[in-house]
């Protein structure tokens, strides 16, 4: 189960973008798309993710053991994600509710368990998003987080502040990705799926360096603890 949540960290994301342009890439031709990500620890490949598409729509992400996330679109919005285990059985589903092309609720339901988690999102005029989290258990677990965004990037949450480069992210051209932002404190692999740019620094964290290709897409990311290789 722990491994499944590692894969969640790419796409099953804690919060949502303030960017209203969820359809920005819908009318663009098929362009630069990441097809493979290799995460190295101690100079050894640790995890491999393979991406499959229909046009610019991301259909599946699969790791080297066969754990898979499948996206279901309605138009250009991802409205549901199915999370499969190594036996190709669905373990969890994620259902997304939209208003004005922004996610206002994420509901996680266990298929093989009684797991139920709901996050409701409130968008404020100052660029902040309030996330109200409820894990239904005995007793229920609740929490509220406020995060701030600028130009499609997370700039602060919980007293942590973030800076970015001005280059393309590996996920720039994926249809519907603007509604998904990966908050790094809650992510294992820190892949920044929904950000507009690539994260460089954050409070109390290590600095991140990148190597870019001729089109300004990162091909190698390193933060001193792991190295991530992007193939297009």
């Amino acid at each position: 189960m722990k491994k499944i949540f590692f894969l969640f960290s790419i796409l099953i994301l804690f919060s949502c973008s303030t960017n209203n342009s969820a359809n920005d890439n819908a009318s663009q031709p098929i362009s630069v798309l990441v097809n493979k990500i290799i995460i190295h620890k101690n100079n050894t490949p640790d995890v491999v993710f393979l991406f499959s598409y229909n046009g610019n729509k991301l259909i599946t992400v699969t790791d080297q053991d066969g754990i898979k996330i499948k996206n279901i679109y309605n138009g250009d919005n991802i409205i549901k994600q199915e999370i499969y285990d190594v036996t190709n059985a669905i373990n969890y589903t994620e259902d997304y509710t939209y208003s004005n092309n922004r996610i206002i609720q994420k509901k996680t339901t266990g298929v093989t368990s009684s797991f139920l988690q709901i996050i409701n999102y409130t968008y404020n005029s100052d660029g902040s998003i309030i996330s109200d989290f409820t894990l239904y258990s005995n007793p229920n677990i609740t929490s509220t987080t406020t995060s701030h965004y600028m130009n499609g990037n997370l700039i602060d949450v919980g007293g942590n502040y973030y800076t970015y480069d001005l280059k393309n992210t590996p996920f720039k051209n994926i249809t519907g990705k603007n509604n998904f932002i990966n908050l790094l404190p809650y992510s294992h692999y820190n892949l920044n799926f929904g950000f507009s740019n690539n994260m460089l620094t954050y409070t109390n964290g290590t600095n991140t360096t990148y190597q870019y290709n001729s089109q300004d897409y990162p091909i190698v990311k390193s933060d001193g603890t792991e190295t991530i290789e992007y193939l297009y």
Side-chain angles (χ1 to χ4, degrees):
M1 182 172 296
K2 184 178 181 181
K3 192 125 190 295
I4 290 175
F5 278 102
F6 286 174
L7 185 55
F8 276 10
S9 66
I10 294 183
L11 298 177
I12 310 298
L13 308 171
F14 186 83
S15 190
C16 316
S17 173
T18 59
N19 190 332
N20 288 323
S21 56
N23 301 321
D24 282 351
N25 300 310
S27 60
Q28 297 180 2
I30 297 174
S31 49
V32 177
L33 294 170
V34 62
N35 291 314
K36 187 176 184 178
I37 292 177
I38 306 172
I39 300 174
H40 302 263
K41 290 183 180 293
N42 300 319
N43 298 316
T44 302
D46 183 57
V47 177
V48 177
F49 294 113
L50 300 176
F51 296 71
S52 70
Y53 299 88
N54 179 7
N56 281 35
K57 292 182 178 181
L58 177 60
I59 304 304
T60 62
V61 181
T62 309
D63 78 358
Q64 74 278 2
D65 294 325
I67 296 174
K68 178 176 67 178
I69 291 175
K70 180 180 179 180
N71 291 326
I72 298 171
Y73 282 82
N74 180 13
D76 293 321
N77 289 327
I78 298 171
I79 61 168
K80 189 181 186 71
Q81 292 177 312
E82 297 173 339
I83 296 84
Y84 294 77
D85 64 18
V86 294
T87 69
N88 204 35
I90 301 176
N91 270 8
Y92 292 88
T93 61
E94 297 274 348
D95 291 281
Y96 299 92
T97 302
Y98 288 78
S99 176
N100 297 322
N101 279 327
R102 297 191 297 193
I103 295 172
I104 58 172
Q105 184 183 89
K106 181 182 78 172
K107 180 180 179 181
T108 306
T109 306
V111 174
T112 58
S113 69
S114 59
F115 184 89
L116 177 60
Q117 173 184 292
I118 293 177
I119 304 177
N120 291 304
Y121 302 101
T122 302
Y123 298 83
N124 298 318
S125 59
D126 64 355
S128 65
I129 300 174
I130 298 174
S131 306
D132 291 310
F133 166 97
T134 302
L135 174 62
Y136 292 88
S137 57
N138 188 16
N140 294 343
I141 299 172
T142 61
S143 65
T144 299
T145 300
T146 301
S147 48
H148 293 83
Y149 301 84
M150 182 180 294
N151 300 322
N153 293 317
L154 170 71
I155 56 173
D156 78 82
V157 58
N160 291 300
Y161 297 88
Y162 304 84
T163 64
Y164 299 83
D165 64 12
L166 298 176
K167 309 290 187 179
N168 300 314
T169 76
F171 315 106
K172 175 181 178 180
N173 298 309
I174 295 175
T175 298
K177 71 93 180 175
N178 289 331
N179 278 310
F180 294 82
I181 281 187
N182 197 349
L183 298 193
L184 300 195
Y186 308 96
S187 154
H188 182 71
Y189 289 122
N190 300 353
L191 295 177
N192 312 345
F193 181 77
F195 294 155
S196 296
N197 304 104
N198 303 291
M199 184 172 291
L200 294 174
T201 65
Y202 67 97
T203 306
N204 299 323
T206 56
N207 294 343
T208 301
T209 59
Y210 296 88
Q211 298 176 33
Y212 304 93
N213 63 17
S214 60
Q215 296 173 287
D216 284 339
Y217 288 87
I219 54 175
V220 177
K221 171 185 174 181
S222 180
D223 64 3
T225 61
E226 65 184 18
T227 300
I228 300 177
E229 183 180 1
Y230 303 95
L231 289 81
Y232 302 90

